[in-house]
Amino acid sequence: MPEDQKTAPSGPQGAAAPPPKPPEVRKPKQDRPPDDDRGIWRMSRKSFLNVAGWFAFLSFIGTATVGALRLMVPRVLYEPPSAFKAGFPEDYIVGEVNEKYKDDFRVWIVREADGFYALSAICTHLGCTPRWLPAENKFKCPCHGSGYHKDGVNFEGPTPRPLERLKITLDDDGQIIVDRSVKFLYEKGEWSKPGAFLKFNG
């Protein structure tokens, strides 16, 4: 029998080939953060530079704003006035060292039988505030032991000179005025000048 007339073999060997399977469609891979991911704290170099740039810009804006506001506020030193009223002469007792104005103005006012004088409550050694000791009738500096008589003259300790007297006058309304900006120094013979002592016999 001719070969072209041979029948196709039957059975599994003669079965038609199965159709090809469609190509498998792969889903895009989902990005998953690593287990040690720090979230927002993970920052690339570019992100860091962006954050640093914004921080510098905002800092500059804030500083410039504060500076502009500061220029609008006058630079005034709120200090006690150099001159102040210290009440009427009748308010003082003869022989008394009045300490009413020591804390606010660092001034003692002393009344004698013939008038008043004002002493600066600043030690002439290193600027501490001495204490008035009525039992010993003297001023005593607690810092280094300098001592002054009631009139302000130094007599013990390292202080080089007496306390300074301040200008004391009587105002038109009858009140005592002490001006701390005008000082009289004993070593220069200024305690005898007008203003270093207020004469009053009332």
Side-chain angles (χ1 to χ4, degrees):
M1 179 179 296
E3 292 183 2
D4 55 352
Q5 295 181 357
K6 290 182 180 179
T7 59
S10 61
Q13 295 181 355
K21 293 182 179 181
E24 182 179 357
V25 178
R26 296 184 178 182
K27 295 182 178 180
K29 184 178 179 181
Q30 299 293 328
D31 292 333
R32 294 182 59 190
D35 294 337
D36 60 347
D37 181 30
R38 293 176 294 174
I40 61 173
W41 301 109
R42 182 179 61 183
M43 187 179 297
S44 65
R45 182 171 179 237
K46 182 178 180 181
S47 299
F48 172 77
L49 293 177
N50 286 336
V51 171
W54 276 107
F55 179 78
F57 175 74
L58 294 176
S59 298
F60 170 76
I61 294 298
T63 304
T65 302
V66 171
L69 294 175
R70 183 66 183 87
L71 289 175
M72 299 179 185
V73 180
R75 296 184 178 182
V76 179
L77 295 177
Y78 298 98
E79 297 180 349
S82 60
F84 64 94
K85 290 188 176 182
F88 295 92
E90 295 80 8
D91 299 336
Y92 296 84
I93 301 173
V94 176
E96 178 188 59
V97 175
N98 190 289
E99 298 191 278
K100 181 178 180 180
Y101 304 99
K102 185 185 77 171
D103 293 336
D104 293 336
F105 299 99
R106 299 187 76 178
V107 173
W108 288 297
I109 298 178
V110 183
R111 179 172 184 181
E112 299 292 359
D114 56 345
F116 297 82
Y117 57 89
L119 291 173
S120 174
I122 300 175
C123 180
T124 54
H125 178 221
L126 291 177
C128 298
T129 302
R131 299 170 182 167
W132 167 243
L133 304 178
E136 301 178 36
N137 201 38
K138 69 177 182 180
F139 299 99
K140 186 71 173 179
C141 182
C143 296
H144 302 94
S146 297
Y148 307 87
H149 292 298
K150 183 180 176 182
D151 59 1
V153 177
N154 57 311
F155 70 94
E156 65 179 349
T159 182
R161 57 191 181 88
L163 294 172
E164 297 173 347
R165 287 193 180 185
L166 307 175
K167 184 178 180 180
I168 183 169
T169 56
L170 206 60
D171 198 10
D172 295 337
D173 62 359
Q175 293 195 62
I176 295 173
I177 294 181
V178 178
D179 189 350
R180 298 180 302 144
S181 65
V182 182
K183 300 178 181 180
F184 301 93
L185 306 184
Y186 174 84
E187 59 272 22
K188 294 184 177 181
E190 296 177 346
W191 282 11
S192 59
K193 288 186 175 181
F197 188 85
L198 173 62
K199 292 184 178 181
F200 185 81
N201 296 318

